[in-house]
Amino acid sequence: KLMQSSDLLPDVISYSAAISACAKNGEWQQALSLLVVMQDAVLIPDIVVYSASISACERGEQWQQALGLLAAAQKADLVLDVIIYSAAISACGKEKQWQHALALLKSMQYSDVGLDVVLFNATISACEKSERW
């Protein structure tokens, strides 16, 4: 709001930074509100914005919202990366949704995203939290 009142228009980077700050403070609702405001301003969210939004949902224990954002990023034809998948898997794991975490990992086998230790650790953590090892 301060930027708008001073005739400065926020851009994708500004929104990304604000959403990341919300994520770090566990303010998932504010992060998603900023995402909507950004889209209303006819700015197209990039992979960083979606990743930060999913991280906010993970901290706010909103795994379903996180998966919805991942689907939105896919629908927007963004090139998904290890970071966004890891955030979504962590969101599922935090809420003991190990089946969804495993399904995400499995779906990545058919994508161009390379499986790495971060993804495996996030998935193992999801299973551990659900006592599924």
Side-chain angles (χ1 to χ4, degrees):
K1 289 182 180 182
L2 182 61
M3 285 183 77
Q4 291 169 338
S5 67
S6 65
D7 293 330
L8 293 174
L9 296 176
D11 59 7
V12 173
I13 296 169
S14 303
Y15 279 104
S16 179
I19 291 170
S20 292
C22 290
K24 288 178 183 163
N25 289 317
E27 298 176 12
W28 69 273
Q29 292 167 318
Q30 182 65 33
L32 296 187
S33 292
L34 286 169
L35 180 60
V36 170
V37 170
M38 178 184 177
Q39 292 168 323
D40 289 346
V42 195
L43 292 172
I44 300 170
D46 62 10
I47 194 71
V48 176
V49 170
Y50 277 109
S51 294
S53 299
I54 290 171
S55 292
C57 291
E58 183 260 330
R59 291 206 180 189
E61 301 176 351
Q62 301 296 314
W63 68 272
Q64 292 165 317
Q65 292 278 0
L67 292 182
L69 290 167
L70 181 65
Q74 290 170 322
K75 188 176 178 182
D77 289 328
L78 294 175
V79 177
L80 305 186
D81 59 12
V82 170
I83 296 167
I84 196 167
Y85 274 108
S86 179
I89 289 171
S90 293
C92 292
K94 191 167 188 176
E95 291 304 298
K96 299 180 182 180
Q97 298 297 318
W98 62 274
Q99 301 97 328
H100 292 287
L102 285 174
L104 282 173
L105 185 69
K106 185 173 183 173
S107 73
M108 292 178 63
Q109 292 175 350
Y110 308 106
S111 73
D112 292 334
V113 178
L115 299 175
D116 72 355
V117 69
V118 173
L119 292 166
F120 284 112
N121 282 342
T123 307
I124 290 168
S125 178
C127 293
E128 183 269 331
K129 289 175 184 169
S130 302
E131 299 181 3
R132 299 287 182 172
W133 50 67

